[in-house]
Amino acid sequence: MKLIAPCHKCAVPSSPAVMMTGELDNDLLAICVCPNGHRHLVHQAHSAPEVVYSAGIRAFLAGFYSESVVTLTAALERGYELFVKVFLRASGGAATDVDQFWKELRSSSERQVGAFCVIYFFATGMPWKTSTKQAEFRNKVAHRGYIATHEEAHGYGEYVTTSLDAIMSYIKSHNRDAFYQHLEASRAVVYRKAEEKSRNDPSLELCFAGSSALEWNNAGHPEPTFEDALLATSAYLKQFTDGV
């Protein structure tokens, strides 16, 4: 996934940012280089569902609708994982035990969804409601090579956005401490890898980047829509069209 971030060394007050690009890996790290040759090791400072969701938005904006559907599905599945891990952590589970529990489910999306549905019911007292129509559409795209249209992908994007909003809003309002503990534990592992990369390449400077992903459950923010995300991401990327 391509990461676009401002170069801090080129920053000048009241002037357009000089952007740098790099390839984001699974640790949410990217080695980015700006047009002036400055090199940074950039950490994408969001949870995995938010980062993958942002990638799905960008695929949609680029006209890759089937690819957007597949990526948005992955974002929702990472949302399921985050919900389960944060709830178990908030319930007293040790991080290593929680990770081992999820490891046993990692190779089966059906088992992951099942675990999430059970945990969601225990957490909220309500069953998780899925859309049979959207599930069938997702499977057609992912497993049968169906080519999604703009309208179909947009509808699926709304479904994923609503679902992720329910997940992220519950986590941040009911298990906020456990959520940040989970993020910090994940980042500690990433920072150790970042330090190793920096030792091997002293020219790299560690910095952090946000994204155009929606900030779920902001105070006073209405329930987000897929169209909100498209508009926000389009405006975000428009800043970086020149020279990237």
Side-chain angles (χ1 to χ4, degrees), residues 24 43 46 56 61 72 102 152 171 191 213 230 238:
L24 197 69
H43 176 51
H46 286 279
L61 288 171
L72 289 170
W102 192 260
E152 290 170 329
I171 287 174
Y191 295 159
L230 291 174
K238 191 175 181 179

Side-chain angles (χ1 to χ4, degrees), residues 171-187:
I171 287 174
K172 292 187 176 182
S173 60
H174 292 79
N175 299 130
R176 194 174 189 86
D177 289 346
F179 171 64
Y180 285 112
Q181 288 170 7
H182 171 77
L183 285 185
E184 288 305 314
S186 300
R187 288 170 181 169

Side-chain angles (χ1 to χ4, degrees), residues 44-197:
Q44 180 79 82
H46 286 279
S47 66
E50 293 169 308
V51 173
V52 180
Y53 177 83
S54 181
I57 293 291
R58 289 168 62 179
F60 185 95
L61 288 171
F64 299 108
Y65 303 125
S66 294
E67 290 82 354
S68 177
V69 169
V70 173
T71 305
L72 289 170
T73 297
L76 183 55
E77 290 177 347
R78 296 290 62 76
Y80 295 157
E81 177 181 357
L82 182 65
F83 190 96
V84 170
K85 287 185 173 181
V86 169
F87 178 82
L88 292 177
R89 196 178 184 109
S91 301
T96 52
D97 293 337
V98 172
D99 288 341
Q100 184 61 39
F101 167 76
W102 192 260
K103 183 179 179 181
E104 297 300 319
L105 310 180
R106 193 174 298 279
S107 61
S108 172
S109 58
E110 290 84 1
R111 294 178 70 191
Q112 291 177 26
V113 174
F116 165 74
C117 287
V118 171
I119 295 295
Y120 185 84
F121 179 76
F122 275 117
T124 67
M126 298 181 293
W128 177 256
K129 295 182 179 180
T130 60
S131 169
T132 301
K133 176 184 175 181
Q134 295 297 350
E136 291 174 349
F137 168 66
R138 174 201 66 214
N139 289 337
K140 281 171 61 178
V141 173
H143 303 302
R144 299 207 293 272
Y146 179 79
I147 299 175
T149 66
H150 177 281
E151 182 179 0
E152 290 170 329
H154 194 285
Y156 187 75
E158 288 289 4
Y159 166 70
V160 170
T161 301
T162 299
S163 300
L164 267 180
D165 181 57
I167 290 171
M168 298 301 296
S169 294
Y170 185 90
I171 287 174
K172 292 187 176 182
S173 60
H174 292 79
N175 299 130
R176 194 174 189 86
D177 289 346
F179 171 64
Y180 285 112
Q181 288 170 7
H182 171 77
L183 285 185
E184 288 305 314
S186 300
R187 288 170 181 169
V189 175
V190 171
Y191 295 159
R192 286 196 292 271
K193 293 181 179 181
E195 288 174 358
E196 182 178 350
K197 287 179 181 288

